[in-house]
Amino acid sequence: MDFWFPLSITFIISLVAIKVINPIAVKTGLVDFPCDRKIHKGNIPLVGGIAIYLAVLITSMLFIEHSRNLNIYLVASALVLFLGTLDDRYQLSVKIRLVAQVLVASLVIFGTEIYLHSLGYILGWFELKLAGFGIVLTVISIIAGINAINMMDGMDGLVGLLSVVAFTALAFLLSRVTNAWYLLPFLFIAALLGYLIFNLKLHSSVTKIFMGDSGNMLIGLTLVWLMVIGIELDAPALRPVTALYIIAVPLMDMATVIMRRVKSGVSPFQADRQHLHHIFEAAGYSHRFSLIVISSGASILALLGCLAEVYAVAEWIMLVSFLLFFMCYSAITKQVWKKLTKI
């Protein structure tokens, strides 16, 4: 089968789904209202995540080999999409969201019996095996991935572009091994491109939409789960430390903001305008410039991770390098934020 055929179908379904769901979302109140943290004109339909899921669901059922693990993932992703949609409509509490995310993560882990068994040779001289703690760490990783993506959703096109970068890296790594999962990230890329046309209004005839928490949670779950799958294959597509590079920017941004909030004595889940994209905005940079810089940074880090995987760079070197990247990122954003606050 022509490789581009399922991708084209996914792209088209994504466009059609957005057109069909848009008026339904407006009538049911599934829209984003402007407020002090959300500066946009009018009420924007939150249908991106639903459209992406429908496009990927239909084409994965048609073009990916059926398996129990794939079906469990599709059910889990439908549940997290439903959770996100409820959050978009009714603003669920943090506790409800976290409990639901734990349940969804547990479903996919215990249903497939796939979870992290090792963190590899990140200490250099011996393999850091996890035993039973691997289940707990996998649940934590899924929740972290979901919320890291969610926290980055504060600028038009940003989550979409960062997701395309991460899925591209995963598609490359998974396609290097014989594996039925490699097509899934390609399908997400095609669906995301359809979404970005509307989100960034790349054509005058389209109506702006947002991804919503439904899309953020779906993408976060899928990215982390694909990384776990790739790590746990008989012939692994990537090592655990490589995963840090694939979602480096959302991960570093989440960690930095949470540390800043805790240090200030507020809840780590207290929404604010201290994320990386907010810093660019406060500094007066244009939307396009901010998107290009942040997406380019994410692409460079993902590329470094892929190259390190291909050339089998020692895992401890990759970990130390990532920690250095993170410390530099944290220090620079902290200083910039302090200066902007004074101004």
Side-chain angles (χ1 to χ4, degrees):
M1 182 188 298
D2 182 7
F3 172 78
W4 294 104
F5 182 66
L7 303 190
S8 302
I9 295 298
T10 307
F11 176 75
I12 292 171
I13 294 176
S14 176
L15 296 177
V16 173
I18 291 171
K19 281 287 190 180
V20 171
I21 302 171
N22 247 352
I24 299 174
V26 173
K27 289 181 181 179
T28 57
L30 189 61
V31 295
D32 198 35
F33 301 96
C35 64
D36 56 343
R37 291 189 303 103
K38 302 176 181 179
I39 304 171
H40 56 76
K41 296 181 180 180
N43 302 329
I44 311 298
L46 297 164
V47 299
I50 299 173
I52 290 169
Y53 178 75
L54 289 175
V56 172
L57 173 67
I58 294 171
T59 47
S60 63
M61 296 295 286
L62 292 174
F63 301 111
I64 297 181
E65 182 181 351
H66 290 266
S67 69
R68 173 172 167 270
N69 289 347
L70 176 62
N71 292 336
I72 290 172
Y73 158 74
L74 291 174
V75 171
S77 57
L79 291 175
V80 84
L81 181 83
F82 179 67
L83 169 66
T85 303
L86 287 178
D87 189 35
D88 287 331
R89 182 64 181 84
Y90 300 107
Q91 300 298 304
L92 303 178
S93 69
V94 172
K95 290 182 179 179
I96 292 176
R97 293 202 306 268
L98 287 177
V99 169
Q101 289 168 12
V102 169
L103 292 176
V104 170
S106 300
L107 168 66
V108 76
I109 290 169
F110 289 105
T112 62
E113 298 181 351
I114 300 174
Y115 58 91
L116 296 172
H117 288 81
S118 165
L119 290 180
Y121 293 86
I122 57 173
L123 298 181
W125 58 91
F126 69 93
E127 184 179 7
L128 188 58
K129 295 186 177 181
L130 298 170
F133 182 68
I135 295 175
V136 177
L137 184 59
T138 306
V139 171
I140 293 173
S141 299
I142 290 173
I143 294 173
I146 289 173
N147 288 284
I149 296 297
N150 190 35
M151 287 182 175
M152 288 298 292
D153 192 13
M155 176 179 285
D156 290 347
L158 183 57
V159 164
L161 289 174
L162 292 179
S163 300
V164 168
V165 169
F167 279 121
T168 301
L170 280 170
F172 167 72
L173 293 172
L174 289 170
S175 64
R176 295 175 65 235
V177 300
T178 303
N179 169 35
W181 289 89
Y182 87 96
L183 185 58
L184 189 61
F186 281 114
L187 297 182
F188 265 92
I189 292 169
L192 280 162
L193 292 177
Y195 158 76
L196 285 169
I197 289 176
F198 285 80
N199 182 237
L200 292 174
K201 285 187 67 67
L202 298 180
H203 193 277
S204 58
S205 64
V206 301
T207 304
K208 178 181 284 293
I209 65 167
F210 288 159
M211 185 174 292
D213 287 349
S214 57
N216 299 331
M217 292 185 185
L218 170 66
I219 288 172
L221 169 69
T222 305
L223 285 173
V224 176
W225 187 241
L226 283 174
M227 288 188 279
V228 172
I229 289 287
I231 291 168
E232 293 300 321
L233 289 171
D234 292 334
L238 68 154
R239 295 166 294 176
V241 69
T242 307
L244 298 175
Y245 287 79
I246 293 175
I247 56 170
V249 170
L251 200 60
M252 292 191 297
D253 180 73
M254 178 183 69
T256 302
V257 169
I258 286 178
M259 288 190 297
R260 191 180 297 140
R261 290 171 182 170
V262 170
K263 188 175 180 180
S264 300
V266 300
S267 168
F269 299 101
Q270 177 66 48
D272 56 32
R273 292 183 61 81
Q274 298 187 34
H275 292 283
L276 178 62
H277 47 281
H278 293 139
I279 293 175
F280 272 84
E281 182 182 321
Y285 291 108
S286 69
H287 173 256
R288 177 178 294 182
F289 177 83
S290 302
L291 277 183
I292 292 173
V293 172
I294 297 173
S295 300
S296 298
S299 300
I300 291 170
L301 288 170
L303 178 61
L304 287 175
C306 289
L307 290 174
E309 190 65 48
V310 170
Y311 291 103
V313 175
E315 291 166 84
W316 71 267
I317 294 177
M318 292 180 67
L319 178 61
V320 170
S321 299
F322 181 82
L323 292 176
L324 289 174
F325 282 129
F326 174 68
M327 286 188 290
C328 291
Y329 174 91
S330 181
I332 292 172
T333 53
K334 180 180 179 180
Q335 292 302 316
V336 172
W337 184 254
K338 281 185 177 180
K339 291 181 180 180
L340 290 174
T341 303
K342 289 180 181 179
I343 294 174

